[in-house]
Amino acid sequence: MSRLHDAFARAKSENRAALIGYLPAGYPSVQGGIDAIVAMVANGVDIVEIGLPYSDPLMDGPTIQAAVDSSLRGGTTTRDVLATVKAVAETGAPTLVMSYWNPIERYGVDAFAADLAAAGGVGVITPDLTAEEAGPWIAATDAAGVDRVFLVAPSSTVERIAVVSGITTGFVYAASLMGVTGVASVSQAAPALVERTRPLTMMPIAVGLGVSTAAQAADIAVYADGVIVGSAFVRLLLDAATPADGVAAVGRLAAELALGVRRASAG
Amino acid sequence: MTTDSLPRSDSLGGPLPSSMPDTGGHFGRYGGRFVPEALIVALDELDAAFRAAKTDPAFQAQLTHLLTTYTGRPSPLTECLRFGAAAGGARVLLKREDLNHTGSHKINNVLGQALLTLKMGKKRVIAETGAGQHGVATATAAALFGLDCVVYMGEEDTRRQALNVARMRLLGAEVRPVMSGSRTLKDAMNEAMRDWVTNVDSTHYIIGTVAGPAPFPEMVREFHKVIGIESRAQVLELTGRLPDAVTACVGGGSNAIGIFSGFIDDPEVALYGFEAGGDGIDTGRHAAAITGGSVGVLHGQRSYVLQDADGQTVESHSISAGLDYPGVGPEHAWLADTGRATYSAVTDTEAMDAFRLLCTTEGIIPAIETAHALAGTLQLGRKLGPDSVILVNCSGRGDKDVETASRWFGIMDGDRAPEGRA
Ligand SMILES: Cc1ncc(COP(=O)(O)O)c(C=O)c1O
């Protein structure tokens, strides 16, 4: 059982969904990013996704683009991302990296999986790596003992969901809507997608994209095993007057969302 | 002499270069699909529509009719005696894609994809554009077929290709300036991809070059093959033999693949692609992905990319908006590795000198993109000598570049004497 599975199992035993929080590494600085993520964990986020900043984030809307741009202009490197993983993993929260494919390929597929494991990371989410191109990554993650998380989308056919579920480990990431991060709200397509995916996998299913409020988290927690929140956290850091204000605001939102994923079971 | 009267090299045995890509869209280790899962169904649908259309006589007849009566095909072949004299006396033959409706080769691909859009029952098209030629071609087809059209264009490019922005708007398209990143073609493509992921049910994304996830590189090549097919026959008819060399500029690589495809299985014909060298490869300020880049994944495919040690895309630089792109189509990466085609870089200065030379020796104002192929041809002709035949893809006309060129040569202020007169 991986630490990721333990986190989902613990949430399940508490009759609730797991709360998964995303922030990019290196924003507003490497240490500032770590501080914000640690605040998420301290306030009830169960599982952490650390974004690896990339110059061409095709699946991200303006909010994450702005933070990632700033992070890259500040000089964030892949090594900084791994250092962020190490610092966050020390809190005990299962820590994943979310990365577009090119930075991983450039780092070295085997080396990235191994160095992530050495830093205490438990897995990687790759939003633009298709099953057809994933062969070397499957071998590398198996060898390093880290989970590899792939996405399914509202447009995915049952055949596609079966293919993606067949190679994913850790959990299946169900994108709640057709689109990029941080623009629209979680769509009606999400419950239907989870329903289509459920018979095709033993893995937990987490829903992300367009989730920003405790009420949405509570709704999703009724039918999914995990609720993923990203842009809403990033927005708070972007709007904060000072880094300390940003960290405090991130902590407050994490606490609200943690109540949200528990509300579903109450009502 | 006709196309059929010379034996093709199919008889040589072994897989022909034209047999690529494989079913996964790979050219050797290049190409493939690196996209959000949300797009896979749309790419599969496109792939199916494309394969059906390839063998559908009605589709082919409709496309041929458009190419003839709307685009003005076949485009002529023009022999350039005075320009050739400057190119070591080589026979320089221009394939006149600049004379197509809308002024470049881009319309060939756009009409094909617009017909596929209708077949798929979609009502909206989007496109990325650098020089604006692909955007104009897409806006044109959208007007012709009554489709909604949004064109993404880097804010920097909307300034340097202002004429084409006006053309697109006149044609009824919405031009959305892109303010992110380097504000050029790469960022326009990012924005178009984001639009596509969001609106894929109603929208087809008409990619303007032989890049992007499969099936785009193969499909865009298919629609530009007409350049190679026509010019092979035209060169044979004019000279009685195949050319020694075929040259083209390479941004994403669509005009180059179109003309190369006619000769790819003729090993005696050398293929040359000229990338944008900007200020020079050693300055780091260039857009030459093959000559000065490394293998990576960008915009849905694996190919050569300008990137740093962490795999972050590096900004490209070129005087030519249409070549100012940090990637290149996967088939070119493969042709470069196998040695079937040769790629090198041409600087801004070399390109502008050749631009001026074609204006003053032949009365043809080329696109600045095309001028890169012309500059490469001058160097090549001097090497190959007087008896050689060089076929050049004249990919576009330079109306859109008149302002840039005027500034480059200082001829608006009258403060510099005309140069480059042969
Ligand atoms: C006239 C012309 N030639 C060439 C290009 C470069 O594109 P490609 O390399 O796909 O032919 C462009 C792109 O805008 C163009 O307008």
Side-chain angles (χ1 to χ4, degrees):
Chain A
M1 263 281 197
S2 71
R3 269 194 284 157
L4 204 44
H5 275 184
D6 292 346
F8 279 105
R10 190 171 345 104
K12 198 181 172 88
S13 73
E14 294 171 10
N15 200 19
R16 64 175 178 91
L19 177 61
I20 304 168
Y22 164 97
L23 279 173
Y27 186 78
S29 61
V30 173
Q31 188 55 49
I34 293 170
D35 292 345
I37 298 166
V38 169
M40 287 196 317
V41 174
N43 287 280
V45 162
D46 300 297
I47 296 167
V48 172
E49 274 180 33
I50 295 171
L52 191 154
Y54 176 52
S55 52
D56 296 274
L58 286 183
M59 260 196 71
D60 288 306
T63 303
I64 291 178
Q65 281 178 48
V68 156
D69 260 19
S70 166
S71 175
L72 286 175
R73 270 186 277 109
T76 303
T77 64
T78 303
R79 299 234 160 250
D80 293 327
V81 176
L82 292 170
T84 301
V85 168
K86 190 163 195 299
V88 172
E90 279 165 8
T91 65
T95 302
L96 299 105
V97 165
M98 168 93 143
S99 180
Y100 291 91
W101 183 243
N102 195 50
I104 294 177
E105 189 162 293
R106 185 71 169 163
Y107 190 91
V109 171
D110 294 329
F112 188 85
D115 289 359
L116 178 79
V122 299
V124 186
I125 303 164
T126 46
D128 62 344
L129 181 64
T130 54
E132 288 72 13
E133 306 290 346
W137 182 234
I138 291 172
T141 45
D142 280 347
V146 295
D147 283 316
R148 48 176 182 270
V149 176
F150 293 84
L151 282 74
V152 293
S155 61
S156 301
T157 58
V158 166
E159 291 75 24
R160 265 325 279 188
I161 294 172
V163 168
V164 172
S165 304
I167 57 168
T168 206
T169 66
F171 66 93
V172 177
Y173 189 131
S176 85
L177 50 82
M178 296 297 288
V180 296
T181 56
V183 176
S185 281
V186 55
S187 82
Q188 285 315 305
L193 175 60
V194 172
E195 196 175 314
R196 263 185 298 149
T197 306
R198 195 62 87 184
L200 298 167
T201 181
M202 306 284 281
M203 299 285 159
I205 302 171
V207 169
L209 257 61
V211 189
S212 59
T213 67
Q216 289 169 331
D219 285 349
I220 293 166
V222 171
Y223 60 85
D225 309 305
V227 177
I228 305 169
V229 179
S231 294
F233 284 121
V234 177
R235 179 85 261 152
L236 295 173
L237 292 185
L238 286 170
D239 291 347
T242 67
D245 285 356
V247 170
V250 162
R252 278 193 301 276
L253 178 62
E256 282 171 35
L257 293 165
L259 287 178
V261 295
R262 284 166 175 82
R263 200 148 74 221
S265 56
Chain B
M1 200 181 269
T2 71
T3 327
D4 297 329
S5 59
L6 275 189
R8 304 289 293 259
S9 52
D10 310 35
S11 52
L12 293 180
L16 289 166
S18 60
S19 67
M20 289 284 176
D22 69 13
T23 52
H26 300 101
F27 300 84
R29 64 172 168 147
Y30 302 109
R33 272 186 191 173
F34 297 83
V35 292
E37 187 63 26
L39 288 178
I40 292 292
V41 169
L43 290 170
D44 284 347
E45 178 196 18
L46 178 63
D47 191 74
F50 164 58
R51 301 218 181 269
K54 255 178 99 164
T55 54
D56 174 6
F59 181 95
Q60 294 301 330
Q62 201 179 359
L63 183 56
T64 303
H65 178 76
L66 280 170
L67 291 178
T68 310
T69 64
Y70 192 70
T71 307
R73 303 207 71 92
S75 65
L77 191 73
T78 301
E79 177 151 16
C80 297
L81 294 176
R82 300 188 64 222
F83 185 84
R91 288 188 78 174
V92 173
L93 311 177
L94 291 192
K95 177 59 174 167
R96 299 295 303 280
E97 293 299 299
D98 59 316
L99 294 180
N100 293 340
H101 178 44
T102 71
S104 81
H105 69 290
K106 298 283 183 187
I107 190 81
N108 302 325
N109 165 48
V110 166
L111 288 175
Q113 288 199 50
L115 286 181
L116 285 180
T117 305
L118 300 178
K119 277 213 161 282
M120 292 186 291
K122 295 188 172 181
K123 303 271 184 282
R124 178 175 179 265
V125 290
I126 56 172
E128 84 295 341
T129 199
Q133 289 301 109
H134 175 60
V136 166
T138 304
T140 298
L144 180 64
F145 295 121
L147 300 165
D148 288 336
C149 178
V150 173
V151 178
Y152 291 93
M153 188 169 189
E155 191 256 351
E156 156 94 9
D157 293 338
T158 60
R159 281 191 293 105
R160 56 180 167 172
Q161 310 277 228
L163 174 75
N164 275 344
V165 175
R167 289 171 80 198
M168 288 183 269
R169 290 186 171 144
L170 285 172
L171 290 160
E174 182 192 341
V175 179
R176 291 193 189 156
V178 175
M179 314 296 272
S180 57
S182 56
R183 306 183 174 199
T184 60
L185 186 50
K186 158 182 100 76
D187 310 286
M189 197 147 177
N190 287 341
E191 257 336 278
M193 284 279 189
R194 292 184 185 114
D195 181 319
W196 202 31
V197 171
T198 309
N199 301 299
V200 68
D201 276 348
S202 67
T203 300
H204 175 58
Y205 176 15
I206 302 187
I207 293 182
T209 191
V210 284
F216 280 100
E218 180 188 3
M219 179 177 68
V220 176
R221 174 184 74 188
E222 188 67 26
F223 291 134
H224 281 304
K225 268 187 177 171
V226 63
I227 307 172
I229 292 168
E230 283 178 9
S231 58
R232 190 173 191 278
Q234 288 168 320
V235 173
L236 283 172
E237 184 168 309
L238 181 72
T239 68
R241 66 181 185 93
L242 289 171
D244 298 290
V246 177
T247 66
C249 65
V250 177
S254 66
N255 87 90
I257 281 292
I259 199 159
F260 287 180
S261 68
F263 304 89
I264 195 104
D265 292 335
D266 299 311
E268 66 272 38
V269 179
L271 308 175
Y272 291 92
F274 295 102
E275 299 189 293
D279 293 342
I281 297 293
D282 2 312
T283 67
R285 291 177 51 81
H286 61 84
I290 297 175
T291 316
S294 53
V295 175
V297 168
L298 177 66
H299 291 149
Q301 51 151 32
R302 183 180 289 112
S303 185
Y304 283 97
V305 181
L306 302 182
Q307 60 183 333
D308 70 11
D310 274 344
Q312 307 293 345
T313 311
V314 170
E315 266 183 43
S316 56
H317 295 274
S318 170
I319 189 170
S320 151
L323 305 183
D324 200 350
Y325 179 66
V328 66
E331 187 169 4
H332 287 293
W334 178 72
L335 290 173
D337 283 8
T338 59
R340 177 62 190 97
T342 305
Y343 298 83
S344 56
V346 161
T347 64
D348 287 354
T349 302
E350 291 168 330
M352 293 311 289
D353 287 349
F355 173 97
R356 190 62 179 276
L357 188 65
L358 193 76
C359 293
T360 55
T361 56
E362 301 292 339
I364 297 170
I365 302 178
I368 294 177
E369 291 76 24
T370 310
H372 288 70
L374 295 164
T377 301
L378 288 172
Q379 296 167 8
L380 189 63
R382 287 165 196 155
K383 215 166 69 191
L384 296 182
D387 294 325
S388 61
V389 175
I390 306 177
L391 171 66
V392 187
N393 197 355
C394 187
S395 58
R397 69 181 187 223
D399 305 42
K400 69 188 176 61
D401 296 315
V402 163
E403 207 185 306
T404 303
S406 300
R407 233 178 300 116
W408 178 272
F409 295 111
I411 53 182
M412 289 303 251
D413 325 326
D415 61 1
R416 233 207 276 187
E419 300 156 13
R421 191 168 276 281

